[in-house]
Amino acid sequence: MIDPEYADAYAWIGVVTLFQGNVFGQKEIQYTALEALPYFEKALELDQNNAAVHHGMALIEEWVRWDYIKAEKEYLKAIELGPNNPWVYALAAEFYLKRHRLESLRAIFDKAPEKENVFRYLRRGLILLGNQKEAYSSITSIPHEEQSYKSIGRYYEWLEEYDSARFYLESALQAKNPNMSIPRFQAALALAYEKTNSLQEARKIINQLIGKADSTSAGSPAYFIACYYSGIGEVDSAFYWLEKAFDNRSPEMPWLKVDPAFNNLKDDDRYWDLYERTGHKAYDDFIESKKQ
């Protein structure tokens, strides 16, 4: 009998490889997907019911293929097979946040063996629901430690509290948090600077990101440049960079549905065209068909 732990090893190598192309922004997602898939295939060969490999395939379907119907099935299968793995719950919670299925997000939170990694997505869900008082209470309860500053800054960005966003993002920068070099946080700080009238600092960061986008898609700089331009109301520039992100198969495109940065694009047909091309409409139609 084959030891299923071997399947775990292959699956988690694949997951870590994928994370390099999304969360850490070290490599382009196309390359990490090609590197990760053989590990997942080997894991499935060893054990079809391995939770970690279904977790990995959920990430492939969501981040790379933009097939959210298959991704959801894989996340739920991973939870069924590995009910004690907190990271599977966290990424499933993130998936449901991106789909704006907040009741499903709450259900994941209720089942999760460790709550904090899921609760960070629930905080954003509170913001999307307009539960400002509860959202503020949740954010202020986060321990004010150096490693938390960047996340707190992003929460305030979603709340459009740009003075607070700037304070915490600058604090993370001053604390030399290495994640502040990732496009996600660079663009967030640029938007906070723009909204607090530090235009020179904002443009400096964005120009650096544009330079980065000219040489690599690792870390999805095009997507986050689009967030910035949309946030400051430069709509045509936002769509230009979103198309770049689409062409690069950015693993951030699954956020298109709910990211508040894009709220002012939703009256434009170009937004809904991208929405369909990145798999969102297909998933919406699927969920609607299940209700009938």
Side-chain angles (χ1 to χ4, degrees):
M1 187 177 193
I2 296 172
D3 187 345
E5 289 185 7
Y6 284 114
D8 264 349
Y10 282 111
W12 284 113
I13 291 170
V15 169
V16 171
T17 300
L18 268 183
F19 267 57
Q20 290 178 324
N22 185 4
V23 178
F24 304 126
Q26 296 171 339
K27 297 181 180 179
E28 296 181 335
I29 193 68
Q30 299 95 326
Y31 299 122
T32 56
L34 287 173
E35 290 174 0
L37 270 171
Y39 291 108
F40 296 143
E41 290 165 357
K42 183 64 176 179
L44 281 172
E45 181 184 322
L46 293 169
D47 182 7
Q48 288 282 327
N49 291 317
N50 180 270
V53 74
H54 286 284
H55 175 197
M57 289 308 301
L59 301 179
I60 288 281
E61 298 295 349
E62 182 189 359
W63 293 354
V64 182
R65 295 173 176 161
W66 301 336
D67 189 331
Y68 310 127
I69 299 168
K70 289 183 180 178
E72 181 177 21
K73 291 177 182 177
E74 293 287 0
Y75 279 123
L76 295 178
K77 186 71 173 177
I79 288 173
E80 176 190 341
L81 295 171
N84 297 317
N85 186 330
W87 288 107
V88 175
Y89 288 90
L91 287 162
E94 181 182 288
F95 171 83
Y96 282 121
L97 174 65
K98 294 172 186 173
R99 308 278 70 75
H100 206 285
R101 292 188 60 195
L102 304 180
E103 290 183 5
S104 296
L105 168 54
R106 173 66 77 172
I108 291 291
F109 174 77
D110 290 341
K111 293 178 183 177
E114 295 180 14
K115 303 298 186 185
E116 181 53 38
N117 281 334
V118 176
F119 195 51
R120 57 181 171 161
Y121 300 111
L122 195 59
R123 287 188 185 100
R124 294 194 186 191
L126 294 172
I127 296 169
L128 293 180
L129 285 169
N131 293 348
Q132 306 286 66
K133 184 176 181 180
E134 194 174 349
Y136 280 119
S137 176
S138 171
I139 294 166
T140 55
S141 70
I142 300 171
H144 281 43
E145 302 167 346
E146 289 183 355
Q147 64 266 31
S148 302
Y149 292 157
K150 61 179 175 50
S151 299
I152 296 172
R154 287 280 280 160
Y155 292 133
Y156 280 118
E157 181 194 9
W158 271 44
L159 285 163
E160 299 183 354
E161 294 283 351
Y162 294 109
D163 287 317
S164 294
R166 174 175 175 168
F167 172 81
Y168 283 103
L169 291 168
E170 281 188 326
S171 296
L173 191 64
Q174 290 162 6
K176 298 183 179 179
N177 188 310
N179 286 327
M180 288 303 296
S181 65
I182 296 174
R184 170 183 288 108
F185 296 106
Q186 289 181 317
L189 182 57
L191 182 59
Y193 278 143
E194 184 88 25
K195 293 291 188 176
T196 55
N197 297 313
S198 293
L199 306 186
Q200 186 174 352
E201 289 91 337
R203 296 301 165 131
K204 180 180 178 182
I205 293 173
I206 287 302
N207 287 338
Q208 289 172 344
L209 277 180
I210 289 172
K212 183 170 187 175
D214 287 340
S215 61
T216 182
S217 66
S220 299
Y223 177 89
F224 292 109
I225 294 167
C227 288
Y228 168 81
Y229 279 121
S230 180
I232 67 172
E234 294 190 17
V235 171
D236 289 339
S237 294
F239 280 116
Y240 172 84
W241 286 103
L242 277 174
E243 286 293 344
K244 289 278 190 184
F246 174 85
D247 291 341
N248 293 335
R249 301 295 298 182
S250 167
E252 300 296 336
M253 295 303 285
W255 283 103
L256 184 68
K257 182 183 181 78
V258 299
D259 195 321
F262 300 126
N263 285 346
N264 63 347
L265 302 185
K266 293 179 180 179
D267 291 332
D268 193 305
D269 289 343
R270 290 174 290 180
Y271 174 87
W272 297 106
D273 176 57
L274 265 172
Y275 189 88
E276 183 168 0
R277 284 187 283 138
T278 50
H280 294 280
K281 185 177 185 300
Y283 183 83
D284 291 346
D285 292 345
F286 171 72
I287 294 300
E288 190 60 34
S289 71
K290 290 175 66 176
K291 297 177 182 176
Q292 296 173 0

